[in-house]
């Protein structure tokens, strides 16, 4: 009986001992992961990957390899933590895979070299973990080795699938018939109605249905291509046409909440490009593309979203006026130069706020001042420069000049 009692006690204690051991093991594993340096991992990765023939020739800039390498290491390390949010991390790795797969396909990196490069991630991470571990961590490392490999292999498989899909998309783009029809839309002469009917049938779209058009210059074309690939995976077909200095893309509009096309449009609004919505079918596509291209050419370093006619028409107008060589508001600048720096700053701040809101109350609240104070500053501005910003026709000159 005594022996049975001891056995029962041991049986009850074992799960608790095992639980404590698991907690300690997870804590030690997290400690090792915390000691990993993304910068060091990235440096080691670049050193090794540039030894591969297809990466050594510089087709893919080292800065691009570093950017995606650092992002992948951050995601992989978080994925290795016990109890990590797997759904969120899988989605995060999917985004990185999309970026890497599309860019490597477009630069002509062979898929074999891409897979070799990604699996260097495992070698680098594992080597650093071995260097950080103590002799007593041997069992822990043995138990975790398969997990490390599975996470890296999953990332590699995701990237490979996206790469292959992008290569297939490239092959479709190169189709002479299809691309020939798309190119016709952007020629010097607008196609006749009969040709538009034929092109619509070949592309599988409604000739008169509304479209959305985006254009990006060379520096931002890669980001637009990534969004085109992402939209395709979600079920929205986008058509692309290369420009001498960038890329134009168009697709059928669909404003229904939750539609794939609407989601694609919202995603593209978050990248640097020119965007024109509600284009009236293929007839207006060429002009809309020219507008999108003009907006894309105005993108500045401070911009992080798409430029549209609704929000950025003034910048486009200012650019077009500046091309004529006629200064827009030299009298305003001269008049404001007579003010002291403090007064000038306050007047400009007041006018800019009012031009944005169109409301004395909202601007006063925005600037944390009394509405009478704001009105006095607007009157003072009118006295100095002769422009009453409460009159739209006069305010328009400042809207354009200060855009």
């Amino acid at each position: 009986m005594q022996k049975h009692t001891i056995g029962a006690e041991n049986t009850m204690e074992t799960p608790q001992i095992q639980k404590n051991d698991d907690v300690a093991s997870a804590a030690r594993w997290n400690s090792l992961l915390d000691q990993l340096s993304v910068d060091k991992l990235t440096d080691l990765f670049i050193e090794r990957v540039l030894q591969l023939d297809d990466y050594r020739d510089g087709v893919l800039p080292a800065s691009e390899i570093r950017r995606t390498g650092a992002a992948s290491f951050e995601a992989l390390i978080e994925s290795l933590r016990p109890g990590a949010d797997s759904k969120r991390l899988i989605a995060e790795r999917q985004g990185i895979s999309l970026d890497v797969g599309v860019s490597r396909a477009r630069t002509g990196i062979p898929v074999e070299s891409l897979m070799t490069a990604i699996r260097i991630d495992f070698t680098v991470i594992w080597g650093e973990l071995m260097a950080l571990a103590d002799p007593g961590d041997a069992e822990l490392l043995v138990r975790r080795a398969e997990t490390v490999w599975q996470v890296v292999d999953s990332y590699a498989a995701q990237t490979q699938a996206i790469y292959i899909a992008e290569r297939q998309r490239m092959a479709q783009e190169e189709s002479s018939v299809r691309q020939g029809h798309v190119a016709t839309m952007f020629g010097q002469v607008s196609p006749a109605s009969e040709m538009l009917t034929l092109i619509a049938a070949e592309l599988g779209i409604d000739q008169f249905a509304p479209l959305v058009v985006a254009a990006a210059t060379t520096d931002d074309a890669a980001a637009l291509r990534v969004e085109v690939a992402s939209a395709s995976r979600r079920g929205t077909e986008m058509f692309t046409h290369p420009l001498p200095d960038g890329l134009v893309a168009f697709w059928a509009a669909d404003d229904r909440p939750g539609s794939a096309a609407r989601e694609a449009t919202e995603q593209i609004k978050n990248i640097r490009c020119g965007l024109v919505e509600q284009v009236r079918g293929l007839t207006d596509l060429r002009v809309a593309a020219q507008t999108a291209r003009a907006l894309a050419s105005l993108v500045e370093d401070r911009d992080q979203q798409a430029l549209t006619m609704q929000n950025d028409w003034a910048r486009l107008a200012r650019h077009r006026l500046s091309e004529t060589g006629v200064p827009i508001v030299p009298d305003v600048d001269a008049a404001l130069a007579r003010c002291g720096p403090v007064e000038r700053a306050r007047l400009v701040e007041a006018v800019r706020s009012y031009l944005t809101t169109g409301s004395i109350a909202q601007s006063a609240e925005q600037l944390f001042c009394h509405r009478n104070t704001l009105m006095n500053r607007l009157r003072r501005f009118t006295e100095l420069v002769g422009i009453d910003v409460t009159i739209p026709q006069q305010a328009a000159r400042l809207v354009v000049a200060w855009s």
Side-chain angles (χ1 to χ4, degrees), residues 115-297:
M115 292 299 99
T116 299
I118 290 178
R119 291 190 173 105
I120 289 175
D121 287 352
F122 172 84
T123 305
V124 170
I125 291 175
W126 192 250
E128 281 301 289
L129 287 171
M130 292 285 288
L132 294 168
D134 296 328
D137 294 324
E139 182 181 353
L140 174 64
L141 291 176
V142 169
R143 292 205 309 266
R144 298 288 181 176
E146 184 176 358
T147 299
V148 177
W149 175 253
Q150 287 176 345
V151 169
V152 175
D153 194 58
S154 172
Y155 167 56
Q158 286 179 326
T159 307
Q160 183 181 39
I162 291 170
Y163 176 99
I164 293 173
E166 186 64 11
R167 293 296 296 181
Q168 291 174 342
R169 186 176 297 105
M170 291 169 64
Q172 292 174 353
E173 289 176 352
E174 293 169 359
S175 169
S176 59
V177 175
R178 182 174 176 137
Q179 283 304 106
H181 286 311
V182 172
T184 299
M185 297 301 307
F186 300 98
Q188 295 294 323
V189 180
S190 298
S193 59
E194 295 81 3
M195 178 58 73
L196 289 177
T197 302
L198 173 62
I199 292 173
E202 290 288 344
L203 298 183
I205 61 177
D206 186 333
Q207 177 180 348
F208 304 103
L211 303 172
V212 184
V213 183
T217 57
T218 302
D219 292 340
D220 300 309
L224 180 55
R225 286 194 183 279
V226 168
E227 292 302 330
V228 169
S230 180
S232 177
R233 291 175 62 84
R234 295 193 299 265
T236 297
E237 184 173 19
M238 291 187 172
F239 305 94
T240 60
H241 178 69
L243 300 173
D245 59 348
L247 178 74
V248 63
F250 66 95
W251 59 99
D254 186 348
D255 290 333
R256 293 176 300 172
S259 69
R262 180 171 179 174
E263 183 179 353
T265 302
E266 293 303 314
Q267 290 296 322
I268 287 181
K269 286 180 180 180
N270 293 322
I271 66 172
R272 291 150 50 99
C273 66
L275 184 67
V276 179
E277 299 183 73
Q278 295 302 321
V279 179
R280 295 180 301 178
L282 291 180
T283 303
D284 292 345
L285 175 61
R286 181 169 169 271
V287 173
Q290 291 173 344
T291 302
R293 174 62 187 82
L295 288 168
S297 69

Side-chain angles (χ1 to χ4, degrees), residues 102-114:
V102 171
S103 62
R104 274 44 167 187
R106 289 285 170 176
T107 52
I109 300 292
V111 67
E112 297 82 3
S113 296
L114 174 59

